[in-house]
Amino acid sequence: SYGLPLSLILGHRPEEVNDAFTEDGHFKNDAIEVMESGVDKLIPEEQVYNTDGSVKWLRTLKKPIRNSDGEIVGLMGISTDITGMREYQRELKESLSLLEATVDSTADGLLVVDNDKRIVLVNAKFTEIWGESVVTMGEDGYKRLTKAADQLNDPASFVSQVEKIMA
């Protein structure tokens, strides 16, 4: 971590490894909190800087170290680099946003169901055509569509086509 070999990290204080620890008090405050409370602390996301100045995101667990009498004598920190996961989540959000914009901008009414036939996505045009009562996310899409078929001139033909698509 921090762009350094493990041999230069083990057995050293955080501020000896990375200047960011002396510049940002929350690292020290977290350590003091764990040492005083004796309770583990999970930090879901924290930003750190490598020695070359690049940014890294970590998920960190800080735990007190106890001697044989149960007294707290030190602190152990275990960090997992989640930089790649954060980047993946950002890309996923961008893709989802693009998909939603595309689906909502189409002139056709779209309804998407999953393998369990639950409604997972509906665009505004579909809701405009069929009405709010047909669209309930997570509910049985097939059941909802067959109820909506009653609004059509030939409900049986519509239900038959839906069954073919969902087969």
Side-chain angles (χ1 to χ4, degrees):
S1 190
Y2 310 112
L4 296 171
L6 193 56
S7 62
L8 294 178
I9 296 174
L10 289 177
H12 292 86
R13 294 178 175 273
E15 60 272 11
E16 295 172 335
V17 175
N18 190 324
D19 291 338
F21 286 95
T22 56
E23 296 167 10
D24 189 345
H26 89 272
F27 292 111
K28 191 171 188 176
N29 293 340
D30 289 337
I32 291 169
E33 179 185 329
V34 171
M35 295 288 287
E36 289 179 350
S37 71
V39 177
D40 297 358
K41 181 168 186 174
L42 176 65
I43 303 156
E45 293 184 336
E46 62 183 341
Q47 186 179 26
V48 297
Y49 296 90
N50 285 325
T51 53
D52 65 3
S54 61
V55 174
K56 189 179 276 194
W57 287 90
L58 302 176
R59 174 172 288 131
T60 302
L61 175 63
K62 295 185 179 186
K63 299 176 71 79
I65 298 173
R66 299 177 186 273
N67 65 15
S68 58
D69 295 328
E71 298 168 327
I72 297 173
V73 296
L75 177 75
M76 173 180 62
I78 303 168
S79 295
T80 303
D81 184 349
I82 60 168
T83 308
M85 182 181 73
R86 282 181 53 96
E87 179 62 20
Y88 175 74
Q89 288 174 335
R90 186 191 61 74
E91 289 173 5
L92 187 59
K93 281 182 182 178
E94 285 178 10
S95 293
L96 182 58
S97 179
L98 180 61
L99 172 64
E100 288 173 344
T102 302
V103 166
D104 274 338
S105 67
T106 186
D108 298 316
L110 300 175
L111 172 115
V112 179
V113 295
D114 64 13
N115 288 338
D116 295 323
K117 299 179 180 155
R118 286 186 309 257
I119 300 172
V120 293
L121 186 126
V122 177
N123 71 349
K125 189 65 173 179
F126 184 91
T127 305
E128 179 185 317
I129 294 168
W130 293 97
E132 289 285 335
S133 63
V134 176
V135 182
T136 305
M137 299 302 275
E139 286 200 10
D140 186 328
Y142 176 75
K143 209 180 278 185
R144 287 286 185 173
L145 282 178
T146 54
K147 287 180 182 177
D150 293 336
Q151 299 176 35
L152 302 172
N153 291 335
D154 187 1
S157 174
F158 175 76
V159 170
S160 174
Q161 290 298 319
V162 169
E163 287 172 346
K164 285 180 188 175
I165 292 170
M166 295 178 99

